[in-house]
């Protein structure tokens, strides 16, 4: 239980830091947010709990494939905001697009046997 709390604290601090920095320096905050900190921390936590090379390699490869369908969201949201749509609508539309693309990616990975 202590390890779980430690993971939550470290992960939460990184996310809170990125958003706090972004208030004053949007570009720098975006750079921090774009770093694969969640993925790297996830791999560290997974390795500490289960140091298995096969599990880790499958996890890392699957992470690669699932990052790709999330990227268009970061183009759609600013486009919708610049078009004058409300933030919450733009965010919802970006998340909906990502969900659809995740489903397509999951289907493609199962069909072609790639991605862990």
């Amino acid at each position: 239980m202590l390890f779980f709390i430690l993971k939550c604290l470290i992960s939460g601090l990184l996310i809170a830091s990125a958003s706090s920095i972004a208030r004053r320096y949007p570009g720098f905050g975006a750079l921090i947010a774009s770093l694969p900190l969640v993925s790297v921390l996830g791999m560290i936590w997974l390795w500490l709990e289960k140091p298995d090379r096969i599990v880790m390699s499958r996890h890392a490869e699957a992470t690669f494939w699932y990052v790709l369908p999330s990227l268009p969201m970061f183009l759609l949201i600013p486009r919708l905001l610049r078009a004058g749509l409300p933030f919450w609508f733009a965010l919802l539309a970006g998340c909906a697009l990502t969900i659809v693309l995740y489903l397509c990616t999951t289907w493609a990975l199962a069909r072609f046997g790639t991605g862990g």
Side-chain angles (χ1 to χ4, degrees):
M1 184 61 156
L2 183 60
F3 186 58
F4 177 76
I5 293 170
L6 179 64
K7 291 191 303 186
C8 291
L9 288 174
I10 292 171
S11 303
L13 282 172
L14 286 170
I15 293 167
S17 297
S19 66
S20 295
I21 290 168
R23 277 186 301 206
R24 182 155 179 152
Y25 306 104
F28 190 55
L31 173 65
I32 293 171
S34 72
L35 296 172
L37 295 173
V38 172
S39 298
V40 170
L41 282 174
M43 287 190 282
I44 291 169
W45 304 144
L46 177 60
W47 186 260
L48 290 174
E49 292 176 26
K50 184 176 184 171
D52 182 311
R53 290 177 189 203
I54 300 300
V55 169
M56 184 58 68
S57 67
R58 288 181 182 159
H59 173 77
E61 184 178 10
T63 299
F64 169 81
W65 290 111
Y66 283 114
V67 163
L68 297 177
S70 70
L71 295 177
M73 174 181 72
F74 298 104
L75 297 175
L76 179 63
I77 292 173
R79 185 175 191 135
L80 295 176
L81 291 172
R82 286 187 192 113
L85 293 165
F87 167 76
W88 295 110
F89 178 84
L91 182 63
L92 183 63
C95 291
L97 173 64
T98 301
I99 290 168
V100 168
L101 293 175
Y102 277 154
L103 292 171
C104 293
T105 301
T106 301
W107 174 83
L109 293 176
R111 178 159 168 78
F112 300 111
T114 298

